[in-house]
Amino acid sequence: MEVRKAVFPVAGWGTRFLPATKAMPKEMFPIIDKPVIQFIVEECLDAGIENMVFVTGRHKRPIEHHFDINTDLEKHLENCGKTELLKNIMEISRLVNPIYIRQKEQLGLGHAVLVAEPVVGYEPFVVCLGDVIIRNEQNVISRMIEVYQRFGKSVIAVFEVEQKEVSKYGVIDGRHIEKDIYIIDDLIEKPKPEEAPSRLAIVGRYLFTPRIFDKLKVTPPGKGGEVQLTDAIKLLLEDEAVYAIKIDARVYDTGTPIGYLQTLIEFALQREDTRDGMMRFLRGLKIELSEV
Ligand code: UTP
């Protein structure tokens, strides 16, 4: 079956970024001049997915505006002759078919995915965390779709982290099958480093068979009283195989202040129009820091 839809659970509180996230979604924070969520939407478009289901909350309206057509702005840019900017603004709102659905209560990531069920229907779908940007040689979603097409089962992207970092992530206990593919035996949410079954951490890209909805419906609230997606995947494992693909990627978690800052600096160093200015600034800082 074709994978046609991506779900973005973007209804969370973003407490690690308060007070900035009181009225502004963290998914709209700019990485220089592009909001985080646009990078992830572009990743889906590159993988051939146009239908994007955003599970939103009451302070997430800017996401809707961002992917909408703004005719006044387009006319203004046209009148000023800013054709490059105009092309850029027009493109994203025309390529994406956004569908918005409210998660009325923030009952957890698993619950947010379940809220998308009436829109997704009984077909395989992708879930993308809206604050994680991934840079990989091959598009990660395309690779997940390839593996899904081969096995017909759910696929989760993982990446290798240092042992001391495992407690920040969901970690898989899996068996290597071939190349980048693993079959998952178990998942452990935020294990202590000494108890982690592997260093393969879940990265924020999932491809699910619709069976996950049946499991989410019977997943009791877990850690923090929230319905955890990881718990539902554990239930799914009782019924069908779940695969993992190991990606060798740069992963940018923009949902924390330090992760966001690191992303900004790295992207500024990679972009032609900002690289020199940022280098000069960092070199200047180096002198100041060495004097501290
Ligand atoms: P996080 O654990 O990052 O939570 O959720 P959060 O609320 O966004 O941020 P903090 O931890 O309070 O700082 C993982 C993803 O699940 C979504 C979030 O928007 C985020 O993308 N989510 C979480 C929901 O959509 N609904 C929820 O009820 C909880």
Side-chain angles (χ1 to χ4, degrees):
M1 218 173 173
E2 210 187 331
V3 182
R4 304 181 307 146
K5 292 172 190 153
V7 173
F8 294 81
V10 292
W13 291 110
T15 48
R16 286 167 295 175
F17 241 124
L18 279 169
T21 43
K22 190 174 169 211
M24 170 58 86
K26 63 178 171 181
E27 295 81 6
M28 286 302 295
F29 286 0
I31 304 303
I32 308 177
D33 51 12
K34 193 193 281 191
V36 172
I37 190 79
Q38 188 173 331
F39 285 91
I40 304 159
V41 162
E42 286 173 355
E43 188 188 335
C44 289
L45 286 172
D46 286 344
I49 297 178
E50 290 164 17
N51 298 306
M52 318 264 178
V53 183
F54 294 90
V55 181
T56 70
R58 61 181 71 78
H59 61 299
K60 300 285 176 161
R61 271 286 162 85
I63 298 176
E64 296 180 33
H65 295 314
H66 185 71
F67 293 109
D68 202 4
I69 293 177
N70 184 336
T71 43
D72 290 342
L73 176 63
E74 289 177 6
K75 222 174 272 166
H76 170 71
L77 293 174
E78 200 180 342
N79 292 341
C80 305
K82 297 191 170 165
T83 42
E84 261 314 297
L85 261 183
L86 176 64
K87 194 171 148 261
N88 184 317
I89 298 283
M90 286 179 74
E91 213 169 65
I92 192 70
S93 48
R94 274 140 183 100
L95 290 176
V96 181
N97 177 28
I99 302 154
Y100 300 98
I101 185 162
R102 278 276 178 110
Q103 184 189 23
K104 294 177 195 159
E105 287 179 285
Q106 273 80 359
L107 299 179
L109 172 60
H111 178 261
V113 172
L114 183 57
V115 164
E117 186 192 19
V119 184
V120 171
Y122 208 77
E123 53 181 88
F125 64 104
V126 165
V127 172
C128 295
L129 295 194
D131 55 3
V132 179
I133 300 175
I134 296 179
R135 285 254 168 107
N136 200 42
E137 212 162 284
Q138 186 186 6
N139 181 302
V140 172
I141 296 167
S142 298
R143 180 65 188 141
M144 292 201 302
I145 292 173
E146 279 173 13
V147 175
Y148 166 75
Q149 277 161 352
R150 178 153 161 221
F151 297 103
K153 297 288 185 261
S154 301
V155 185
I156 295 172
V158 296
F159 75 130
E160 201 162 68
V161 296
E162 286 180 37
Q163 191 83 28
K164 61 177 190 314
E165 299 280 294
V166 288
S167 51
K168 291 193 207 157
Y169 299 92
V171 169
I172 66 158
D173 183 0
R175 280 166 287 144
H176 186 224
I177 299 186
E178 61 179 56
K179 289 195 294 187
D180 56 341
I181 307 175
Y182 290 72
I183 187 157
I184 300 179
D185 290 321
D186 200 5
L187 303 165
I188 292 95
E189 192 55 48
K190 301 190 172 68
K192 288 185 190 145
E194 62 277 16
E195 285 166 10
S198 76
R199 294 195 283 133
L200 297 178
I202 298 174
V203 74
R205 299 292 183 273
Y206 312 79
L207 192 163
F208 289 119
T209 64
R211 277 292 278 165
I212 194 71
F213 291 131
D214 302 330
K215 300 301 170 187
L216 283 165
K217 281 174 200 158
V218 295
T219 304
K223 220 172 196 173
E226 296 191 339
V227 177
Q228 301 289 346
L229 186 57
T230 318
D231 291 342
I233 302 170
K234 274 159 105 68
L235 292 180
L236 185 63
L237 278 170
E238 291 172 9
D239 285 10
E240 55 180 49
V242 178
Y243 292 84
I245 54 156
K246 182 179 158 195
I247 58 169
D248 187 19
R250 275 297 286 143
V251 175
Y252 302 92
D253 178 4
T254 67
T256 63
I258 191 66
Y260 177 65
L261 284 172
Q262 285 165 351
T263 310
L264 269 181
I265 293 171
E266 230 181 281
F267 275 61
L269 288 172
Q270 285 161 10
R271 251 174 67 158
E272 236 171 69
D273 59 336
T274 49
R275 185 186 304 130
D276 291 348
M278 182 53 100
M279 292 270 253
R280 268 196 303 279
F281 172 66
L282 291 177
R283 282 199 193 105
L285 269 189
K286 210 173 142 203
I287 296 165
E288 281 177 33
L289 286 175
S290 61
E291 284 168 356
V292 173

